[in-house]
Amino acid sequence: MKSFSPPNRLLMGPGPSDVHPRILSAMARQTIGHLDPAFIEMMDETKQMLQYAFMTENELTMPISAPGSAGMEACFVNLVEPGDKVIVCINGVFGSRMKENVTRIGGHAIIVNDEWGKPVDPQKVEQSLIDNPDAKIVAFVHAETSTGALSDAKLICELANNHGCITIVDAVTSLVGSELRVDDWGIDAIYSGSQKCLSAMPGLSPVSFSEKAIHKITHRSTPVTSWFLDLNLVMGYWGKGAKRAYHHTAPVNTLYGLHESLVMLTEEGLENSWARHQSNHLLLREGLSKLGIHYLVDESSRLPQLNSVFIPEGTNEAEVRSTLLNDYNIEIGAGLGDLAGKIWRIGLMGHTSRKENIDLCLSALQKAL
């Protein structure tokens, strides 16, 4: 056995994205204790910058010490109790995972289905709210990673709030890549991942909870079924001030990396990050059009950072992806579920979202085809 040396890849799939050298350098710094005063100070800065990224003043804004799937579970396991009726919107793989969380907890999932590649239909959500006046939560994916569809989070949250429901929003792929305003849009619980548009390493899940959500968490009639993800306990470690209660050993160096990625976000500016992802998407779209490659998602609801495109007829899609990886060191993603073998997913997230990467990808894709 010998030390592992990874190949030098350009990550242009659905995630992870390329990690910026500044972030890799930050992660290589000396490890200190997770209760060290200097580390506590860095935690406070991380929370403050995450509030900026989410556009929120929620006090309970922090990174869960696990990937985005754990952020999802943290939202559901803390907010859903056995018997609770939850409206779950499914327009791709990750909406289905929301339903799985609800049923495992013992909640009652009311499904709003939409075609894969389409956004969540607000009219269907409103009708479901009317038909289920005892529903307590509306859950949906803002940016569906399996299809590249962007749903109208502002409108869906407005409908949910009008009917007295708490909202749970998946923003794993949308955070800092697409416009997202937690407070202005009335989002109650939201989770994301460090490995997408934040361009940090996989393994952390930024989350944020409104006062309404916190009230439900602290006034549960049953205990949270997960000890590790019980926010009543985690808040003691990520709460205010220098006095922190030990909960778990935080991934110290990984948090260095997230902190550095957020510093870089503040340097670029959040709205500039949104604009960069959009402008680079347009460059990619223009190049793909010249190759005769068309999009799955309508332009009005298309994610700039996750481009789902139909595979040209007669193309061996796996062979093309293999050629890109082995000959050009470029990773793009395959389709999932019903879209397997039908689409490619080309990511333009975070540090990956640069013109030179788009030029390289288009050139390599043309040759591979």
Side-chain angles (χ1 to χ4, degrees), residues 68-364:
S69 295
M72 171 178 61
E73 189 160 343
C75 289
F76 283 93
V77 80
N78 280 276
L79 290 168
V80 179
E81 295 192 69
D84 281 356
K85 189 176 283 189
V86 182
I87 295 173
V88 181
C89 306
I90 299 179
N91 63 332
V93 167
F94 295 95
S96 299
R97 292 190 180 183
M98 287 180 151
K99 173 183 177 291
E100 182 74 10
N101 273 262
V102 172
T103 56
R104 284 178 181 244
I105 294 166
H108 179 40
I110 306 297
I111 305 303
V112 174
N113 270 312
D114 280 292
E115 182 182 345
W116 285 33
K118 302 291 185 184
V120 173
D121 186 341
Q123 292 184 339
K124 291 182 181 179
V125 175
E126 184 172 29
Q127 188 60 54
S128 186
L129 286 162
I130 293 169
D131 294 342
N132 298 276
D134 54 341
K136 295 186 176 181
I137 295 171
V138 173
F140 66 94
V141 179
H142 183 213
E144 179 53 73
T145 315
S146 63
T147 67
L150 182 69
S151 293
D152 190 339
K154 181 180 181 181
L155 178 54
I156 297 170
C157 288
E158 181 181 339
L159 294 170
N161 290 329
N162 289 343
H163 287 264
C165 285
I166 284 175
T167 51
I168 298 177
V169 178
D170 178 323
V172 170
T173 298
S174 57
L175 182 65
V176 314
S178 297
E179 183 178 8
L180 175 64
R181 302 179 185 272
V182 168
D183 286 358
D184 288 351
W185 296 355
I187 297 171
D188 293 305
I190 190 166
Y191 59 92
S192 188
S194 53
Q195 78 279 17
K196 305 274 188 171
C197 295
L198 283 170
S199 216
M201 58 293 114
L204 294 173
S205 179
V207 298
S208 186
F209 294 84
S210 70
E211 287 298 324
K212 185 165 64 172
I214 293 172
H215 184 270
K216 190 173 194 319
I217 294 168
T218 57
H219 290 78
R220 292 173 58 99
S221 58
T222 59
V224 175
T225 55
S226 169
W227 179 88
F228 181 69
L229 297 175
D230 185 346
L231 292 175
N232 293 293
L233 303 176
V234 179
M235 280 188 272
Y237 180 57
W238 279 97
K240 291 181 179 179
K243 182 68 175 176
R244 304 293 173 95
Y246 167 72
H247 179 261
H248 66 279
T249 302
V252 172
N253 290 61
T254 311
L255 285 165
Y256 293 170
L258 178 62
H259 180 275
E260 188 67 21
S261 78
L262 292 167
V263 169
M264 294 173 63
L265 174 66
T266 63
E267 291 171 354
E268 179 179 18
L270 181 58
E271 294 190 356
N272 291 332
S273 178
W274 297 341
R276 171 171 57 86
H277 284 86
Q278 178 62 23
S279 63
N280 285 332
H281 158 72
L282 295 177
L283 287 175
L284 178 65
R285 184 189 70 179
E286 180 182 359
L288 291 173
S289 177
K290 292 177 180 177
L291 295 178
I293 295 176
H294 306 289
Y295 277 77
L296 167 71
V297 181
D298 292 339
E299 188 171 353
S300 60
S301 53
R302 191 178 293 164
L303 272 174
Q305 62 271 45
L306 199 286
N307 297 260
S308 291
V309 297
F310 288 111
I311 296 162
E313 189 174 349
T315 299
N316 184 324
E317 75 87 14
E319 187 176 344
V320 170
R321 284 190 293 109
S322 178
T323 298
L324 289 177
L325 189 69
N326 295 323
D327 293 357
Y328 301 98
N329 284 312
I330 300 173
E331 176 185 279
I332 66 171
L336 298 176
D338 294 342
L339 295 174
K342 299 177 182 178
I343 65 167
W344 289 315
R345 293 179 295 155
I346 303 174
L348 290 177
M349 295 180 281
H351 185 51
T352 299
S353 186
R354 291 177 287 149
K355 184 180 183 300
E356 58 266 34
N357 291 339
I358 296 167
D359 292 341
L360 181 60
C361 179
L362 288 169
S363 175

